[in-house]
Amino acid sequence: MRAALTRNTSTLRARRLLLSVLVAATSGCGIFDRIKPGPHDTVASYHDDYALRIEYPEVKTCSTAPSLAAQQTMEPMTLEDPSKIPALELSLDEAIRLAVQQSPVLRSIGGAIVTAPQTVSTIYDPALAHANPFSGTEAALSAFDAQWTQQLFWNTVDQPQNANFGGGIVGAFTPRVSQQTQATFNSSLSKQTAQGASFALRHVINYVDSNNPIRQFPSDYVGYLEAEWRQPLLQGSGTTFNRIAGPNSSIGQYNGVLIARVNEDVALADFESAVINLVADVELAYWELVVGYRILEANVKGRDAALQTFQYQQVRLEAGAGRSDEEAQAQSQYYQFRAQVEQALGGVTGLYAREQRLRYLIGLAATDGRLIKPTTEPTDVRVVFDWQSALGQALDRRVEVRRQRFNLQRREMELTAARLNRRPTLDFLGQYRWRGLGDDLLGDGDNGQLDNLYDSITSGDYQEWQAGLEFAMPVGLRAASVAVAHARLNLQRERALLAETELKVSHDLSDAGRQIALTYQLVETNFDRYQADLRQVDVLRRRYKDGTDNINFLLQAQRQVVASESEFYRALSNYNIAIRDFHRQKGSLLAYNQVQLSEGQWAAGALRDAYDVGRCLTPRLQPEEVCMPRPLTSGPFNPSAPQASMFSDEGMIYESDLPLAE
């Protein structure tokens, strides 16, 4: 019993000792911290005070309109009287035009330009996709460019030989030394074709200057001119495969011209989507600024009415005809409306905040001493869309649908390339070579037939040729079969995504159509409510002044009229935003706001080259007999083209993609 207790106590002490060692090792005062510094540890390190410090980058910046606007921003406005600030009158069309022309960056409300600038869209994105050195069209076309390579090397040889030509004593002979001066020149020109074939023309020259006694010339030039043709017969053959996957592509890698073209179309669709978002944000900010003015005006009228009531109650109280509690109620309501005016002016959702959001979208300074005043009145007439026409346009014109169709087209081409790649490698190889030997490289000498190298080659006396087949096949073609299965699954996935995209588009369009009907009805309802509250205020004000009613009813009516007026203008703004949303879901927002997308001007040299090439192109006499690959697209598409899908009728306005007329 005692022995067991002793062992347990020893074990417990050992565990405590181990725990203390671990704590000491993991704490700030470890074993190495107890070691005294050596003589070299007292010297300051360059790494400590220089390499780890935070520095400011030195870059070249350009003076642009956004940078000047940022530098010229004045002190922000908070509670200044808007009527005393110079007005900058701005229509909705002008705001959209400024937004799409002011900056190469496509701005957005609440954008991530500061926190995540790599996610922001710019006008350079389509050009970047085209100029991408890995996946762009020019990069894919560069695989078919002719390649010219040259090599020129010199070297010397100074090598003793293990040979005794004199037959003397082995230990006493002097070894013969082989000494040579050599030079090698290689030049080749190769070209890859769209059918998969490769052609090459090579020229090789070898120069040797040697002390070998059995040579006819101390120095000579040996070389040849060679032509080669390699034609794939199975894997890698045909224009279809090479246009999709590119020449010399590996299994599962598709970087051909057609794939690069689709990548550029996807980049254009992304750019168009960013422009649509910008236009939608500008219109949203514009109508919010309009309603901001209206809400401020309603609160100002409520404040003035409350002030009149308060002053009237003060006069009655001084005359002994009023009550102090009623005077306090009127004063409280006055300060309540005053706080609402201040909030509507400088609050987070106030007039100045709304105006600043619009300023950012159109590229103006946050504050420049002027106040934007919208001049475009919101639409208050009923707008009805033809549903079947709108649904057909949404499923055909929405940029998200077109983008997904391009992704589907890419997957279809990848499956075609994967199937064509599931074949053995069988190449035909043909070579023809003209050889030569000469004492000199060029010139006339006294050595007859082998006087110079090029005379020997061009004489055609020494010719060689080679023709044959090369075959290679991984047994089972496992990797190629997996690539086919992978491409087939990708195709099925993109088809499912396209169907789901079209379903979501129809639901979004349905929601937008419902919002148009709802918001217009709310406009009428809130207008009737506003008019009723105005009549109520007039009646209660007369009754209060006549002394036949309590002040509470008048104060409540004043609050109600301000609330109903604000709700009416909010409903009117929401109605115009609902019309914008319907055009956005229908794919016609750019046409609705008259925004055109076009490619920038080409370089002068490119235009001249295209003109010269076009002069050499003539229509075929029988184009129906020409076999051509299936085109990628069905023709040009203009997302800004108007769509005449509506008609007018008595009592209603059926709208096209042109701006609404009140």
Side-chain angles (χ1 to χ4, degrees):
M1 183 68 179
R2 183 176 301 174
L5 182 59
T6 302
R7 286 194 300 269
N8 293 337
T9 304
S10 302
T11 304
L12 181 59
R13 290 177 178 176
R15 291 179 178 177
R16 290 178 178 176
L17 179 60
L18 178 60
L19 180 61
S20 64
V21 172
L22 292 177
V23 171
T26 57
S27 62
C29 296
I31 297 177
F32 292 101
D33 294 333
R34 303 175 186 175
I35 301 176
K36 296 181 179 180
H40 60 279
D41 295 330
T42 58
V43 180
S45 173
Y46 169 84
H47 177 78
D48 291 338
D49 59 1
Y50 186 83
L52 296 181
R53 69 183 181 184
I54 299 177
E55 299 181 352
Y56 201 85
E58 182 66 25
V59 296
K60 294 182 179 180
T61 58
C62 300
S63 179
T64 60
S67 63
L68 293 177
Q71 298 169 6
Q72 298 171 358
T73 301
M74 301 172 61
E75 184 178 356
M77 296 178 291
T78 53
L79 298 176
E80 289 81 357
D81 188 355
S83 62
K84 298 180 181 180
I85 302 176
L88 174 60
E89 295 185 350
L90 188 68
S91 65
L92 178 59
D93 293 338
E94 292 173 344
I96 294 177
R97 178 175 57 82
L98 289 175
V100 299
Q101 293 180 355
Q102 283 284 21
S103 173
V105 178
L106 302 181
R107 305 182 181 95
S108 62
I109 297 178
I113 184 63
V114 177
T115 58
Q118 67 277 4
T119 63
V120 178
S121 299
T122 66
I123 63 174
Y124 305 109
D125 293 348
L128 286 172
H130 176 77
N132 192 309
F134 301 102
S135 60
T137 303
E138 294 297 329
L141 288 172
S142 66
F144 300 95
D145 293 343
Q147 302 293 327
W148 182 27
T149 60
Q150 286 187 332
Q151 295 178 343
L152 180 60
F153 296 101
W154 289 270
N155 66 288
T156 61
V157 176
D158 192 5
Q159 180 178 358
Q161 304 292 321
N162 184 16
N164 187 359
F165 296 99
I169 302 174
V170 176
F173 86 102
T174 300
R176 181 178 178 82
V177 179
S178 175
Q179 295 179 338
Q180 296 181 5
T181 300
Q182 300 175 350
T184 302
F185 172 75
N186 296 326
S187 180
S188 65
L189 182 65
S190 59
K191 179 69 170 68
Q192 189 81 28
T193 66
Q195 291 79 16
S198 60
F199 296 92
L201 185 64
R202 302 186 186 92
H203 183 32
V204 178
I205 301 175
N206 294 318
Y207 168 78
V208 178
D209 184 5
S210 175
N211 62 353
N212 193 339
I214 64 174
R215 293 170 59 89
Q216 178 66 28
F217 312 124
S219 63
D220 59 11
Y221 294 87
V222 178
Y224 59 87
L225 182 65
E226 179 184 72
E228 179 182 294
W229 173 33
R230 178 181 290 271
Q231 175 64 58
L233 302 178
L234 294 179
Q235 186 182 106
S237 65
T239 56
T240 301
F241 176 82
N242 285 276
R243 291 175 71 206
I244 297 175
N248 304 320
S249 61
S250 58
I251 295 176
Q253 299 294 327
Y254 312 102
N255 298 316
V257 178
L258 297 185
I259 297 294
R261 165 68 188 282
V262 171
N263 292 336
E264 291 186 11
D265 290 328
V266 171
L268 285 173
D270 292 336
F271 174 74
E272 180 184 342
S273 178
V275 174
I276 292 174
N277 293 335
L278 173 61
V279 173
D281 287 345
V282 171
E283 190 169 353
L284 174 62
Y286 191 88
W287 294 128
E288 285 186 346
L289 180 59
V290 171
V291 75
Y293 272 100
R294 301 294 189 179
I295 291 176
L296 176 62
E297 181 182 356
N299 283 279
V300 168
K301 289 190 295 184
R303 182 199 61 185
D304 295 341
L307 179 59
Q308 292 178 1
T309 304
F310 170 55
Q311 292 174 345
Y312 176 75
Q313 192 64 27
Q314 278 184 324
V315 173
R316 290 188 59 193
L317 184 62
E318 293 174 357
R323 295 165 47 184
S324 61
D325 60 333
E326 292 182 349
E327 187 265 347
Q329 289 180 356
Q331 184 181 17
S332 175
Q333 178 148 309
Y334 163 71
Y335 284 115
Q336 178 183 356
F337 277 118
R338 180 176 174 179
Q340 291 180 5
V341 170
E342 294 169 352
Q343 188 69 23
L345 192 61
V348 178
T349 60
L351 175 66
Y352 292 142
R354 297 171 188 259
E355 193 256 359
Q356 185 173 332
R357 281 195 290 270
L358 181 59
R359 278 179 167 273
Y360 171 70
L361 291 176
I362 63 179
L364 298 182
T367 308
D368 60 0
R370 299 175 299 174
L371 188 63
I372 296 179
K373 182 180 180 181
T375 58
T376 302
E377 293 294 331
T379 300
D380 58 358
V381 294
R382 187 179 181 184
V383 177
V384 179
F385 290 86
D386 180 64
W387 173 253
Q388 294 300 328
S389 176
L391 179 60
Q393 293 174 11
L395 297 177
D396 183 64
R397 295 177 62 93
R398 277 286 294 270
V399 63
E400 294 83 1
V401 175
R402 287 189 284 111
R403 186 184 190 279
Q404 187 58 32
R405 289 183 182 274
F406 276 120
N407 290 331
L408 178 61
Q409 188 178 49
R410 177 170 53 192
R411 298 305 185 187
E412 289 177 349
M413 293 188 295
E414 289 178 356
L415 179 58
T416 301
R419 287 174 174 173
L420 293 175
N421 210 29
R422 191 172 58 178
R423 295 182 294 183
T425 300
L426 180 62
D427 296 349
F428 167 78
L429 179 63
Q431 292 180 342
Y432 205 92
R433 186 180 299 116
W434 291 265
R435 285 192 176 274
L437 171 65
D439 184 23
D440 296 321
L441 183 64
L442 296 170
D444 296 331
D446 299 331
N447 296 322
Q449 184 180 4
L450 301 178
D451 179 65
N452 66 80
L453 174 64
Y454 283 102
D455 283 347
S456 178
I457 292 177
T458 56
S459 65
D461 295 336
Y462 311 100
Q463 301 183 24
E464 302 173 350
W465 62 270
Q466 178 185 7
L469 299 174
E470 290 184 358
F471 178 82
M473 182 187 73
V475 178
L477 298 173
R478 180 179 301 182
S481 300
V482 171
V484 172
H486 185 263
R488 186 181 292 112
L489 291 174
N490 274 331
L491 177 60
Q492 294 175 356
R493 179 181 182 274
E494 297 299 336
R495 285 176 177 170
L497 292 178
L498 176 60
E500 193 66 23
T501 301
E502 293 175 344
L503 178 62
K504 187 63 170 62
V505 165
S506 65
H507 279 262
D508 293 342
L509 186 67
S510 179
D511 292 338
R514 184 185 305 108
Q515 289 300 314
I516 287 182
L518 173 63
T519 52
Y520 182 76
Q521 186 61 42
L522 289 177
V523 168
E524 293 184 339
T525 302
N526 284 286
F527 179 76
D528 295 337
R529 172 192 171 188
Y530 174 47
Q531 297 301 317
D533 288 337
L534 286 177
R535 293 193 302 270
Q536 181 185 15
V537 168
D538 292 338
V539 173
L540 293 177
R541 182 183 297 111
R542 289 194 302 268
R543 294 179 62 180
Y544 169 71
K545 290 183 177 181
D546 295 340
T548 60
D549 210 341
N550 192 294
I551 191 175
N552 292 327
F553 296 105
L554 176 60
L555 297 180
Q556 182 179 1
Q558 289 177 347
R559 292 194 298 268
Q560 289 180 356
V561 73
V562 172
S564 60
E565 183 179 3
S566 300
E567 288 299 325
F568 165 68
Y569 286 115
R570 285 195 184 96
L572 186 60
S573 175
N574 292 337
Y575 177 58
N576 285 264
I577 294 174
I579 296 175
R580 178 214 67 171
D581 291 339
F582 193 87
H583 278 286
R584 185 176 185 178
Q585 302 300 336
K586 191 164 66 74
S588 57
L589 184 63
L590 296 183
Y592 172 61
N593 288 284
Q594 300 181 357
V595 176
Q596 301 289 331
L597 297 180
S598 61
E599 186 179 3
Q601 185 69 27
W602 282 20
L607 288 175
R608 182 63 186 179
D609 293 342
Y611 175 77
D612 293 339
V613 173
R615 295 173 58 185
C616 302
L617 301 177
T618 57
R620 296 182 180 271
L621 299 178
Q622 296 177 339
E624 66 279 356
E625 297 182 359
V626 179
C627 181
M628 298 180 61
R630 184 172 66 92
L632 286 178
T633 62
S634 58
F637 177 81
N638 184 9
S640 305
Q643 309 164 48
S645 58
M646 318 305 167
F647 55 91
S648 60
D649 196 1
E650 184 178 358
M652 295 185 180
I653 294 181
Y654 289 78
E655 197 218 275
S656 68
D657 285 338
L658 299 178
L660 290 173
E662 188 173 347

